[in-house]
């Protein structure tokens, strides 16, 4: 924990006031291929992509070299399904050789089939693995993930990783199909030995800006009339988390989920954070370099890339990214938000905390509520450390 405070929280806090010397991490959508058909994903819905270009190992190694030069220590690997990318483990090794840790988000369909030597590559390079599981109820999970074997494979993969000492986080997208089952699934995840479950309400914008969004995607979210049921479910999770060795991010999104659902239900037409924050600050456009599967540098995960690492890259990654994100940074600094800012439910908790730190006075009422929440969480986590086995 002390190391996390020193290496992460303190530099993060300083960055809000003095600016960021370098981005915190790079994120790749390493492949557009996938072996599931999630109902809320454009790839799963077979919506055509608008590009023929694809990243190759040389592009990836160049990015890793650039990260090492800039002392960026974290590479998030997403997709598509990363384990369908044939040189994923080479990528992990190469990054590891430069002291860069990979955080891989997978559906867990194939990890359990990796050989012990391949699992050792993940372990030796300190990889973190997130496995996407929307529900521990097989019928719900099969439906949302579009695969009958999704849960069985995810469980087998989680076990393979945990047996090798690799910590596993489950990621659950909250939709109208699983919101009443979240608590029961958390208890089952705990029984499996999973250390963390991170939830995220559905993004209604296209996950991949080169593809059209799924029609009526917002409607897959929980309906506003069911918000009390959802909130009751989330409170049960918070209570469970206080006395069991499992962590979630519920405390972070409880402050804003109702506003988000109000907006996705069409009841509110404003920026969903306005009910909570007086002034918004987007941390991620300053802290993240997002690279699409075609090599495009996206100013944010929802924004189309205008600059590609496959074209002239003589200026280096950081200079290309600064150019790619210049216009959105200017707009957001002047309070000119883009339509997709309202879809930012995946990174919003981080951006919310950044907004509170960057503009503590303007956001004082939200800050006080958040500090009370954090104090209560700190007390409970101390209790857990001392008394919960
Ligand atoms: C796009 S997937 C790609 C990586 C991998 N194939 C997997 O399933 O984890 C990354 C994560 O985004 C989540 N996701 C996809 N579409 C989403 C949406 N519309 N809203 C919220 N989360 C979504 C998935 O559930 C998964 O946890």
């Amino acid at each position: 924990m002390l190391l996390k405070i020193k290496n992460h929280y303190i530099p993060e806090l300083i960055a809000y006031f003095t600016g960021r010397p370098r981005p915190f991490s790079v994120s790749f959508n390493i492949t557009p291929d996938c072996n599931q058909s999630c109902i809320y994903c454009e790839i799963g819905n077979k919506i055509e992509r608008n590009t023929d270009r694809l990243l190759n190992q040389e592009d990836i190694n160049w990015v890793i070299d650039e990260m090492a030069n800039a002392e960026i220590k974290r590479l998030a690997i997403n997709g598509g399904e990363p384990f369908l990318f044939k040189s994923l483990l080479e990528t992990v090794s190469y990054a590891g050789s430069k002291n860069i840790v990979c955080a891989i988000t997978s559906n867990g369909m194939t990890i359990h089939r990796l050989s012990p030597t391949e699992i050792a590559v993940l372990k030796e390079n300190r990889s973190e693995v997130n496995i996407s599981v929307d529900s521990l109820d097989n019928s719900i999970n099969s439906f949302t993930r579009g695969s009958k074997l999704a849960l069985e494979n995810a469980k087998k993969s989680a076990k393979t990783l945990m047996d090798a000492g690799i910590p596993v986080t489950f990621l659950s997208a909250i939709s109208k199909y699983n919101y009443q089952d979240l608590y029961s699934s958390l208890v089952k995840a705990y029984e499996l030995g999973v250390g963390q479950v991170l939830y995220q309400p559905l993004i209604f914008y296209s996950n991949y800006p080169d593809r059209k969004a799924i029609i009526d995607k917002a409607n897959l979210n929980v309906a506003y009339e069911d918000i009390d049921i959802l909130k009751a479910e989330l409170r049960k999770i918070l209570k469970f988390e206080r006395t069991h060795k499992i962590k979630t991010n519920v405390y972070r999104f409880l402050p804003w989920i109702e506003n988000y659902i109000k907006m996705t239900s069409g009841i509110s037409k404003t920026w969903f954070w306005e009910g909570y924050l007086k002034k918004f600050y987007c941390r991620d456009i300053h802290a993240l370099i997002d690279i699409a599967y075609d090599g495009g540098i996206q100013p944010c995960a929802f924004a189309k890339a205008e600059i590609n690492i496959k074209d002239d890259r003589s200026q280096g990654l950081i200079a290309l990214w600064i150019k790619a994100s210049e216009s959105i940074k200017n707009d957001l600094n002047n309070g000119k938000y883009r339509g997709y800012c309202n879809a930012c439910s995946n990174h919003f908790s981080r951006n919310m905390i950044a907004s509170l730190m960057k503009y503590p006075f303007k956001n004082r009422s939200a800050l006080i509520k958040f500090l009370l929440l954090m104090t209560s969480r700190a007390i409970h986590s101390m209790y857990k450390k001392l008394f919960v086995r």
Side-chain angles (χ1 to χ4, degrees), residues 34 36 40-41 78-82 105-107 132 134 145 171 173 200-203 207-208 217:
C34 198
Q36 289 191 338
Y40 41 69
C41 175
N78 227 296
E81 170 50 33
T105 295
S106 163
N107 55 31
S132 301
D134 295 332
R145 310 287 308 175
L171 301 183
Q200 107 119 78
L202 282 194
I203 299 163
N207 294 346
Y208 308 93
K217 198 175 178 186

Side-chain angles (χ1 to χ4, degrees), residues 16 31 66 96 186 301 388:
Y16 299 137
T31 172
E66 291 289 298
L186 178 81
V388 178

Side-chain angles (χ1 to χ4, degrees), residues 45-297:
N45 278 261
K46 313 267 176 301
I47 295 176
E48 297 266 303
R49 65 173 199 254
N50 213 346
T51 169
D52 291 331
R53 297 169 118 186
L54 285 182
L55 287 169
N56 60 35
Q57 196 60 43
E58 195 219 334
D59 300 324
I60 291 168
N61 288 356
W62 177 78
V63 170
I64 291 173
D65 290 341
E66 291 289 298
M67 288 174 69
N69 290 341
E71 296 180 45
I72 303 172
K73 303 257 179 257
R74 201 175 160 81
L75 178 61
I77 304 182
N78 227 296
E81 170 50 33
F83 282 90
L84 292 180
F85 185 72
K86 67 176 182 329
S87 47
L88 177 70
L89 293 171
E90 277 170 39
T91 302
V92 168
S93 288
Y94 190 63
S97 73
K98 309 260 169 179
N99 205 18
I100 293 168
V101 169
C102 294
I104 307 168
T105 295
S106 163
N107 55 31
M109 287 295 270
T110 58
I111 298 175
H112 60 95
R113 288 197 231 128
L114 295 178
S115 68
T117 319
E118 290 168 323
I119 291 286
V121 172
L122 296 173
K123 166 92 176 153
E124 280 156 17
N125 293 289
R126 297 176 292 139
S127 309
E128 296 163 15
V129 184
N130 301 316
I131 299 187
S132 301
V133 178
D134 295 332
S135 172
L136 274 286
D137 173 303
N138 193 35
S139 62
I140 299 176
N141 197 61
S142 302
F143 175 70
T144 60
R145 310 287 308 175
S147 160
K148 285 204 171 100
L149 292 176
L151 183 59
E152 189 184 323
N153 285 331
K155 281 176 32 186
K156 280 197 233 165
S157 292
K159 183 166 179 342
T160 304
L161 291 164
M162 291 187 301
D163 286 351
I166 300 171
V168 170
T169 291
F170 275 0
L171 301 183
S172 295
I174 304 176
S175 67
K176 64 180 176 187
Y177 301 104
N178 68 347
Y179 73 102
Q180 302 198 50
D181 166 72
L182 300 175
Y183 172 71
S184 149
S185 284
L186 178 81
V187 175
K188 288 180 193 153
Y190 165 76
E191 286 163 0
L192 289 178
V194 171
Q196 178 163 248
V197 179
L198 300 178
Y199 300 95
Q200 107 119 78
L202 282 194
I203 299 163
F204 66 89
Y205 222 80
S206 175
N207 294 346
Y208 308 93
D210 67 315
R211 299 177 198 239
K212 287 197 180 118
I214 294 164
I215 295 170
D216 214 6
K217 198 175 178 186
N219 190 34
L220 298 172
N221 257 305
V222 179
Y224 187 62
E225 67 212 42
D226 295 325
I227 190 73
D228 289 337
I229 304 175
L230 171 62
K231 280 167 67 180
E233 196 76 7
L234 296 176
R235 285 200 196 96
K236 277 198 284 180
I237 290 177
L238 269 185
K239 207 164 160 199
F240 184 84
E241 200 187 336
R242 280 178 195 150
T243 48
H244 294 82
K245 283 229 158 196
I246 188 160
K247 283 192 204 159
T248 78
N249 58 342
V250 166
Y251 75 102
R252 282 167 164 242
F253 69 83
L254 251 181
W256 55 265
I257 182 116
E258 180 164 353
N259 288 328
Y260 183 75
I261 298 292
K262 216 180 211 176
M263 181 270 300
T264 55
S265 299
I267 293 168
S268 143
K269 304 277 182 219
T270 56
W271 304 109
F272 74 91
W273 60 81
E274 280 184 354
Y276 182 66
L277 292 175
K278 292 279 173 266
K279 193 161 166 69
F280 173 63
Y281 172 74
C282 178
R283 164 201 183 266
D284 281 2
I285 51 167
H286 300 275
L288 265 190
I289 303 184
D290 258 305
I291 302 182
Y293 39 64
D294 66 349
I297 303 180

